[in-house]
PDB file of all heavy atoms in Angstrom:
ATOM      1  N   THR A 187      -4.207 -13.516  -4.505  1.00  0.00           N
ATOM      2  CA  THR A 187      -5.307 -12.640  -4.732  1.00  0.00           C
ATOM      3  C   THR A 187      -4.741 -11.386  -5.388  1.00  0.00           C
ATOM      4  O   THR A 187      -3.545 -11.026  -5.216  1.00  0.00           O
ATOM      5  CB  THR A 187      -6.036 -12.182  -3.443  1.00  0.00           C
ATOM      6  OG1 THR A 187      -5.076 -11.457  -2.712  1.00  0.00           O
ATOM      7  CG2 THR A 187      -6.535 -13.413  -2.604  1.00  0.00           C
ATOM      8  N   LEU A 188      -5.607 -10.686  -6.168  1.00  0.00           N
ATOM      9  CA  LEU A 188      -5.150  -9.347  -6.640  1.00  0.00           C
ATOM     10  C   LEU A 188      -6.337  -8.533  -6.862  1.00  0.00           C
ATOM     11  O   LEU A 188      -7.261  -8.808  -7.614  1.00  0.00           O
ATOM     12  CB  LEU A 188      -4.351  -9.468  -7.941  1.00  0.00           C
ATOM     13  CG  LEU A 188      -3.971  -8.186  -8.727  1.00  0.00           C
ATOM     14  CD1 LEU A 188      -3.250  -7.275  -7.743  1.00  0.00           C
ATOM     15  CD2 LEU A 188      -3.151  -8.600  -9.925  1.00  0.00           C
ATOM     16  N   ASP A 189      -6.463  -7.470  -6.070  1.00  0.00           N
ATOM     17  CA  ASP A 189      -7.578  -6.495  -6.165  1.00  0.00           C
ATOM     18  C   ASP A 189      -7.022  -5.097  -6.544  1.00  0.00           C
ATOM     19  O   ASP A 189      -5.945  -4.762  -6.004  1.00  0.00           O
ATOM     20  CB  ASP A 189      -8.271  -6.386  -4.805  1.00  0.00           C
ATOM     21  CG  ASP A 189      -9.744  -5.817  -4.994  1.00  0.00           C
ATOM     22  OD1 ASP A 189     -10.137  -5.511  -6.129  1.00  0.00           O
ATOM     23  OD2 ASP A 189     -10.333  -5.638  -3.923  1.00  0.00           O
ATOM     24  N   VAL A 190      -7.632  -4.389  -7.444  1.00  0.00           N
ATOM     25  CA  VAL A 190      -7.168  -3.034  -7.878  1.00  0.00           C
ATOM     26  C   VAL A 190      -8.231  -2.121  -7.200  1.00  0.00           C
ATOM     27  O   VAL A 190      -9.408  -2.185  -7.561  1.00  0.00           O
ATOM     28  CB  VAL A 190      -7.096  -2.866  -9.363  1.00  0.00           C
ATOM     29  CG1 VAL A 190      -6.827  -1.484  -9.749  1.00  0.00           C
ATOM     30  CG2 VAL A 190      -6.184  -3.877  -9.935  1.00  0.00           C
ATOM     31  N   LEU A 191      -7.841  -1.214  -6.230  1.00  0.00           N
ATOM     32  CA  LEU A 191      -8.687  -0.462  -5.480  1.00  0.00           C
ATOM     33  C   LEU A 191      -9.069   0.837  -6.184  1.00  0.00           C
ATOM     34  O   LEU A 191     -10.073   1.456  -5.935  1.00  0.00           O
ATOM     35  CB  LEU A 191      -8.168  -0.190  -4.128  1.00  0.00           C
ATOM     36  CG  LEU A 191      -7.811  -1.438  -3.367  1.00  0.00           C
ATOM     37  CD1 LEU A 191      -7.206  -1.124  -1.923  1.00  0.00           C
ATOM     38  CD2 LEU A 191      -8.963  -2.354  -3.123  1.00  0.00           C
ATOM     39  N   LYS A 202      -4.326  -4.376  -3.596  1.00  0.00           N
ATOM     40  CA  LYS A 202      -4.326  -5.167  -2.391  1.00  0.00           C
ATOM     41  C   LYS A 202      -4.137  -6.634  -2.937  1.00  0.00           C
ATOM     42  O   LYS A 202      -5.064  -7.094  -3.659  1.00  0.00           O
ATOM     43  CB  LYS A 202      -5.552  -5.071  -1.539  1.00  0.00           C
ATOM     44  CG  LYS A 202      -5.455  -5.670  -0.267  1.00  0.00           C
ATOM     45  CD  LYS A 202      -6.439  -5.154   0.821  1.00  0.00           C
ATOM     46  CE  LYS A 202      -6.118  -5.795   2.169  1.00  0.00           C
ATOM     47  NZ  LYS A 202      -6.945  -5.373   3.263  1.00  0.00           N
ATOM     48  N   LEU A 354      -3.613  -2.929 -19.541  1.00  0.00           N
ATOM     49  CA  LEU A 354      -4.551  -3.578 -18.683  1.00  0.00           C
ATOM     50  C   LEU A 354      -4.950  -2.782 -17.530  1.00  0.00           C
ATOM     51  O   LEU A 354      -6.146  -2.679 -17.184  1.00  0.00           O
ATOM     52  CB  LEU A 354      -3.896  -4.960 -18.285  1.00  0.00           C
ATOM     53  CG  LEU A 354      -4.817  -5.964 -17.582  1.00  0.00           C
ATOM     54  CD1 LEU A 354      -5.963  -6.299 -18.622  1.00  0.00           C
ATOM     55  CD2 LEU A 354      -4.098  -7.230 -17.250  1.00  0.00           C
ATOM     56  N   ILE A 358      -8.869  -1.387 -16.720  1.00  0.00           N
ATOM     57  CA  ILE A 358      -9.602  -1.746 -15.578  1.00  0.00           C
ATOM     58  C   ILE A 358     -10.286  -0.565 -14.925  1.00  0.00           C
ATOM     59  O   ILE A 358     -11.336  -0.593 -14.349  1.00  0.00           O
ATOM     60  CB  ILE A 358      -8.742  -2.564 -14.485  1.00  0.00           C
ATOM     61  CG1 ILE A 358      -9.703  -3.422 -13.668  1.00  0.00           C
ATOM     62  CG2 ILE A 358      -7.990  -1.659 -13.676  1.00  0.00           C
ATOM     63  CD1 ILE A 358      -9.161  -4.574 -13.016  1.00  0.00           C
ATOM     64  N   CYS A 361     -13.804  -0.426 -16.386  1.00  0.00           N
ATOM     65  CA  CYS A 361     -14.529  -1.738 -16.166  1.00  0.00           C
ATOM     66  C   CYS A 361     -15.258  -1.627 -14.725  1.00  0.00           C
ATOM     67  O   CYS A 361     -14.692  -1.144 -13.787  1.00  0.00           O
ATOM     68  CB  CYS A 361     -13.583  -2.909 -15.892  1.00  0.00           C
ATOM     69  SG  CYS A 361     -13.052  -3.558 -17.501  1.00  0.00           S
ATOM     70  N   ILE A 363     -15.833  -3.868 -11.763  1.00  0.00           N
ATOM     71  CA  ILE A 363     -15.185  -5.127 -11.295  1.00  0.00           C
ATOM     72  C   ILE A 363     -16.372  -5.912 -10.679  1.00  0.00           C
ATOM     73  O   ILE A 363     -16.878  -5.493  -9.625  1.00  0.00           O
ATOM     74  CB  ILE A 363     -14.084  -4.905 -10.373  1.00  0.00           C
ATOM     75  CG1 ILE A 363     -12.996  -4.130 -11.079  1.00  0.00           C
ATOM     76  CG2 ILE A 363     -13.505  -6.220  -9.783  1.00  0.00           C
ATOM     77  CD1 ILE A 363     -11.752  -3.788 -10.202  1.00  0.00           C
ATOM     78  N   ALA A 364     -16.741  -7.068 -11.262  1.00  0.00           N
ATOM     79  CA  ALA A 364     -17.781  -7.843 -10.801  1.00  0.00           C
ATOM     80  C   ALA A 364     -17.625  -8.546  -9.477  1.00  0.00           C
ATOM     81  O   ALA A 364     -18.384  -8.648  -8.587  1.00  0.00           O
ATOM     82  CB  ALA A 364     -18.313  -8.876 -11.886  1.00  0.00           C
ATOM     83  N   LYS A 365     -16.320  -9.109  -9.328  1.00  0.00           N
ATOM     84  CA  LYS A 365     -16.087  -9.908  -8.184  1.00  0.00           C
ATOM     85  C   LYS A 365     -14.573  -9.630  -7.665  1.00  0.00           C
ATOM     86  O   LYS A 365     -13.715  -9.560  -8.475  1.00  0.00           O
ATOM     87  CB  LYS A 365     -16.082 -11.362  -8.549  1.00  0.00           C
ATOM     88  CG  LYS A 365     -16.655 -12.275  -7.518  1.00  0.00           C
ATOM     89  CD  LYS A 365     -16.961 -13.721  -7.969  1.00  0.00           C
ATOM     90  CE  LYS A 365     -17.165 -14.564  -6.733  1.00  0.00           C
ATOM     91  NZ  LYS A 365     -16.587 -15.815  -6.842  1.00  0.00           N
ATOM     92  N   ARG A 366     -14.585  -9.314  -6.369  1.00  0.00           N
ATOM     93  CA  ARG A 366     -13.294  -8.920  -5.773  1.00  0.00           C
ATOM     94  C   ARG A 366     -12.833 -10.005  -4.797  1.00  0.00           C
ATOM     95  O   ARG A 366     -13.729 -10.708  -4.237  1.00  0.00           O
ATOM     96  CB  ARG A 366     -13.404  -7.581  -5.028  1.00  0.00           C
ATOM     97  CG  ARG A 366     -13.648  -6.422  -5.951  1.00  0.00           C
ATOM     98  CD  ARG A 366     -13.843  -5.177  -5.171  1.00  0.00           C
ATOM     99  NE  ARG A 366     -13.996  -4.003  -5.922  1.00  0.00           N
ATOM    100  CZ  ARG A 366     -13.126  -3.355  -6.613  1.00  0.00           C
ATOM    101  NH1 ARG A 366     -11.885  -3.559  -6.515  1.00  0.00           N
ATOM    102  NH2 ARG A 366     -13.480  -2.332  -7.441  1.00  0.00           N
ATOM    103  N   PRO A 367     -11.551 -10.164  -4.604  1.00  0.00           N
ATOM    104  CA  PRO A 367     -11.170 -11.166  -3.656  1.00  0.00           C
ATOM    105  C   PRO A 367     -11.495 -10.870  -2.187  1.00  0.00           C
ATOM    106  O   PRO A 367     -11.651  -9.738  -1.879  1.00  0.00           O
ATOM    107  CB  PRO A 367      -9.555 -11.207  -3.684  1.00  0.00           C
ATOM    108  CG  PRO A 367      -9.230  -9.901  -4.352  1.00  0.00           C
ATOM    109  CD  PRO A 367     -10.459  -9.357  -5.196  1.00  0.00           C
ATOM    110  N   LEU A 389      -8.404 -15.269  -6.310  1.00  0.00           N
ATOM    111  CA  LEU A 389      -9.169 -14.390  -7.137  1.00  0.00           C
ATOM    112  C   LEU A 389      -8.309 -13.270  -7.550  1.00  0.00           C
ATOM    113  O   LEU A 389      -7.665 -12.474  -6.789  1.00  0.00           O
ATOM    114  CB  LEU A 389     -10.428 -13.811  -6.369  1.00  0.00           C
ATOM    115  CG  LEU A 389     -11.541 -13.419  -7.331  1.00  0.00           C
ATOM    116  CD1 LEU A 389     -12.913 -13.770  -6.877  1.00  0.00           C
ATOM    117  CD2 LEU A 389     -11.591 -12.014  -7.828  1.00  0.00           C
ATOM    118  N   ASN A 390      -8.261 -13.009  -8.956  1.00  0.00           N
ATOM    119  CA  ASN A 390      -7.473 -11.966  -9.574  1.00  0.00           C
ATOM    120  C   ASN A 390      -8.312 -11.143 -10.414  1.00  0.00           C
ATOM    121  O   ASN A 390      -8.918 -11.713 -11.457  1.00  0.00           O
ATOM    122  CB  ASN A 390      -6.290 -12.655 -10.441  1.00  0.00           C
ATOM    123  CG  ASN A 390      -5.500 -11.595 -11.172  1.00  0.00           C
ATOM    124  OD1 ASN A 390      -5.795 -10.425 -11.130  1.00  0.00           O
ATOM    125  ND2 ASN A 390      -4.559 -12.127 -11.870  1.00  0.00           N
ATOM    126  N   VAL A 391      -8.557  -9.838 -10.092  1.00  0.00           N
ATOM    127  CA  VAL A 391      -9.552  -9.098 -10.914  1.00  0.00           C
ATOM    128  C   VAL A 391      -9.126  -8.901 -12.325  1.00  0.00           C
ATOM    129  O   VAL A 391     -10.104  -8.559 -13.176  1.00  0.00           O
ATOM    130  CB  VAL A 391      -9.781  -7.640 -10.282  1.00  0.00           C
ATOM    131  CG1 VAL A 391     -10.427  -7.812  -8.939  1.00  0.00           C
ATOM    132  CG2 VAL A 391      -8.536  -6.899 -10.218  1.00  0.00           C
ATOM    133  N   PHE A 392      -7.904  -9.082 -12.718  1.00  0.00           N
ATOM    134  CA  PHE A 392      -7.443  -9.012 -14.144  1.00  0.00           C
ATOM    135  C   PHE A 392      -7.869 -10.302 -14.881  1.00  0.00           C
ATOM    136  O   PHE A 392      -7.919 -10.349 -16.133  1.00  0.00           O
ATOM    137  CB  PHE A 392      -5.982  -8.873 -14.245  1.00  0.00           C
ATOM    138  CG  PHE A 392      -5.588  -7.511 -13.843  1.00  0.00           C
ATOM    139  CD1 PHE A 392      -4.411  -7.228 -12.978  1.00  0.00           C
ATOM    140  CD2 PHE A 392      -6.122  -6.339 -14.336  1.00  0.00           C
ATOM    141  CE1 PHE A 392      -4.026  -6.059 -12.695  1.00  0.00           C
ATOM    142  CE2 PHE A 392      -5.688  -5.083 -14.100  1.00  0.00           C
ATOM    143  CZ  PHE A 392      -4.652  -4.925 -13.237  1.00  0.00           C
ATOM    144  N   ASP A 393      -8.057 -11.410 -14.203  1.00  0.00           N
ATOM    145  CA  ASP A 393      -8.224 -12.726 -14.928  1.00  0.00           C
ATOM    146  C   ASP A 393      -9.451 -12.702 -15.923  1.00  0.00           C
ATOM    147  O   ASP A 393      -9.205 -12.985 -17.090  1.00  0.00           O
ATOM    148  CB  ASP A 393      -8.357 -13.754 -13.821  1.00  0.00           C
ATOM    149  CG  ASP A 393      -8.537 -15.254 -14.474  1.00  0.00           C
ATOM    150  OD1 ASP A 393      -9.128 -15.340 -15.494  1.00  0.00           O
ATOM    151  OD2 ASP A 393      -7.954 -16.184 -13.858  1.00  0.00           O
ATOM    152  N   PRO A 394     -10.709 -12.213 -15.446  1.00  0.00           N
ATOM    153  CA  PRO A 394     -11.745 -12.270 -16.419  1.00  0.00           C
ATOM    154  C   PRO A 394     -11.506 -11.388 -17.628  1.00  0.00           C
ATOM    155  O   PRO A 394     -11.920 -11.725 -18.721  1.00  0.00           O
ATOM    156  CB  PRO A 394     -12.931 -11.820 -15.625  1.00  0.00           C
ATOM    157  CG  PRO A 394     -12.528 -11.418 -14.282  1.00  0.00           C
ATOM    158  CD  PRO A 394     -11.091 -11.836 -14.128  1.00  0.00           C
ATOM    159  N   ILE A 395     -10.857 -10.236 -17.398  1.00  0.00           N
ATOM    160  CA  ILE A 395     -10.594  -9.292 -18.555  1.00  0.00           C
ATOM    161  C   ILE A 395      -9.724  -9.943 -19.581  1.00  0.00           C
ATOM    162  O   ILE A 395     -10.051  -9.831 -20.808  1.00  0.00           O
ATOM    163  CB  ILE A 395      -9.942  -8.018 -18.007  1.00  0.00           C
ATOM    164  CG1 ILE A 395     -10.880  -7.313 -16.970  1.00  0.00           C
ATOM    165  CG2 ILE A 395      -9.713  -7.039 -19.134  1.00  0.00           C
ATOM    166  CD1 ILE A 395     -10.268  -6.145 -16.269  1.00  0.00           C
ATOM    167  N   VAL A 396      -8.708 -10.644 -19.197  1.00  0.00           N
ATOM    168  CA  VAL A 396      -7.699 -11.248 -20.088  1.00  0.00           C
ATOM    169  C   VAL A 396      -8.286 -12.514 -20.674  1.00  0.00           C
ATOM    170  O   VAL A 396      -8.110 -12.739 -21.902  1.00  0.00           O
ATOM    171  CB  VAL A 396      -6.312 -11.412 -19.383  1.00  0.00           C
ATOM    172  CG1 VAL A 396      -5.388 -12.166 -20.282  1.00  0.00           C
ATOM    173  CG2 VAL A 396      -5.691 -10.132 -18.914  1.00  0.00           C
ATOM    174  N   GLN A 419      -5.868 -19.937 -11.492  1.00  0.00           N
ATOM    175  CA  GLN A 419      -6.169 -18.541 -12.072  1.00  0.00           C
ATOM    176  C   GLN A 419      -4.949 -17.971 -12.752  1.00  0.00           C
ATOM    177  O   GLN A 419      -3.756 -18.529 -12.598  1.00  0.00           O
ATOM    178  CB  GLN A 419      -6.737 -17.593 -10.974  1.00  0.00           C
ATOM    179  CG  GLN A 419      -5.581 -17.180  -9.979  1.00  0.00           C
ATOM    180  CD  GLN A 419      -6.105 -16.198  -8.970  1.00  0.00           C
ATOM    181  OE1 GLN A 419      -7.298 -15.859  -8.934  1.00  0.00           O
ATOM    182  NE2 GLN A 419      -5.222 -15.617  -8.183  1.00  0.00           N
ATOM    183  N   MET A 420      -5.077 -16.876 -13.357  1.00  0.00           N
ATOM    184  CA  MET A 420      -3.969 -16.032 -13.928  1.00  0.00           C
ATOM    185  C   MET A 420      -3.216 -15.467 -12.790  1.00  0.00           C
ATOM    186  O   MET A 420      -3.814 -15.097 -11.750  1.00  0.00           O
ATOM    187  CB  MET A 420      -4.602 -15.125 -14.968  1.00  0.00           C
ATOM    188  CG  MET A 420      -3.578 -14.429 -15.845  1.00  0.00           C
ATOM    189  SD  MET A 420      -4.358 -13.140 -16.881  1.00  0.00           S
ATOM    190  CE  MET A 420      -4.544 -11.895 -15.817  1.00  0.00           C
ATOM    191  N   GLY A 422      -1.019 -12.055 -11.722  1.00  0.00           N
ATOM    192  CA  GLY A 422      -0.717 -10.648 -12.081  1.00  0.00           C
ATOM    193  C   GLY A 422      -1.516 -10.140 -13.250  1.00  0.00           C
ATOM    194  O   GLY A 422      -2.720 -10.486 -13.335  1.00  0.00           O
TER     195      GLY A 422
END
Side-chain angles (χ1 to χ4, degrees):
T187 65
L188 177 53
D189 199 2
V190 178
L191 305 179
K202 187 161 184 176
L354 195 56
I358 207 156
C361 276
I363 298 175
K365 218 169 162 215
R366 294 179 182 274
L389 207 145
N390 173 357
V391 293
F392 286 130
D393 183 322
I395 302 174
V396 177
Q419 73 176 6
M420 194 181 77

